[in-house]
Amino acid sequence: MTDPRAPEGDDYSATVLGSHWFSGPPVAPEVAPDRVEGSVLRFGPGVTAAMPAPFPLVVAAVAAPRRRRFAGLRRYALAAVVLAAVLAYLGWQRFGPAIEVRDVAVTTDPQGPPCGATADVVAVVGTNGRPGTLTYRWVRSDGTRSQELTERVPRGQREARLHLLWTFQGTGNHPARAELQLLSPGQRTAAVDFTYRCSP
């Protein structure tokens, strides 16, 4: 049977049809799935709403380094605070309140030294425990005095002992007085009286 719509000529064949002759929905080509972080992502027709989109995975991958960076900043901030506290404490120890003298007392053996012996006169200077230097001199009742002397007091030491060695010779009874004159910090004095006795 001859198709009346067919053009005349020997080159026409009814068995060869163009794609525009087909009707109905097109058949989608099969798409191979991709695998990301263990989840199968499907593209094309047939993708259901329950399938997760790739966007949450991308956001999570970007957010993780940011959390690690903030954690590092917090760690450095804590170290900076500790370092500042240590420096403040050391500065206070070095440049804090200076040494202060609380009290001064001078003592020796009340019996006095024996014949031709030396009296050990001791001044006990109480401090506030801060480091510093004491400046002082000794004055004796025989009219002599020492030059200005210094004593270095380390941190934490609350007491300094200053010695005067006074040697006696000859016979008889000689009253004696030894006085400590503290020149700095502050000015204080303290003295002790004793007697040198030596019978002929």
Side-chain angles (χ1 to χ4, degrees), residues 95-135:
F95 304 107
I99 184 174
E100 295 180 1
V101 174
R102 301 291 173 83
D103 51 71
V104 181
V106 179
T107 61
T108 190
D109 185 356
Q111 300 297 324
C115 295
T118 300
D120 183 12
V121 182
V122 182
V124 179
V125 182
T127 71
N128 61 347
R130 300 292 302 169
T133 301
L134 304 176
T135 304

Side-chain angles (χ1 to χ4, degrees), residues 84-171:
V86 170
L87 292 178
Y89 175 75
L90 294 178
W92 181 84
Q93 288 289 325
R94 183 175 179 84
F95 304 107
I99 184 174
E100 295 180 1
V101 174
R102 301 291 173 83
D103 51 71
V104 181
V106 179
T107 61
T108 190
D109 185 356
Q111 300 297 324
C115 295
T118 300
D120 183 12
V121 182
V122 182
V124 179
V125 182
T127 71
N128 61 347
R130 300 292 302 169
T133 301
L134 304 176
T135 304
Y136 65 97
R137 66 170 163 247
W138 287 103
V139 178
R140 302 190 318 193
S141 58
D142 61 358
T144 61
R145 65 174 55 196
S146 70
Q147 61 183 354
E148 289 188 6
L149 306 170
T150 59
E151 177 73 12
R152 178 69 180 172
V153 181
R155 178 182 292 108
Q157 180 176 317
R158 296 182 175 273
E159 189 175 273
R161 292 179 172 270
L162 312 175
H163 292 263
L164 167 66
L165 300 179
W166 189 350
T167 301
F168 293 84
Q169 293 179 348
T171 60

Side-chain angles (χ1 to χ4, degrees), residues 21-32:
W21 286 94
F22 293 96
S23 62
V27 178
E30 183 179 355
V31 178

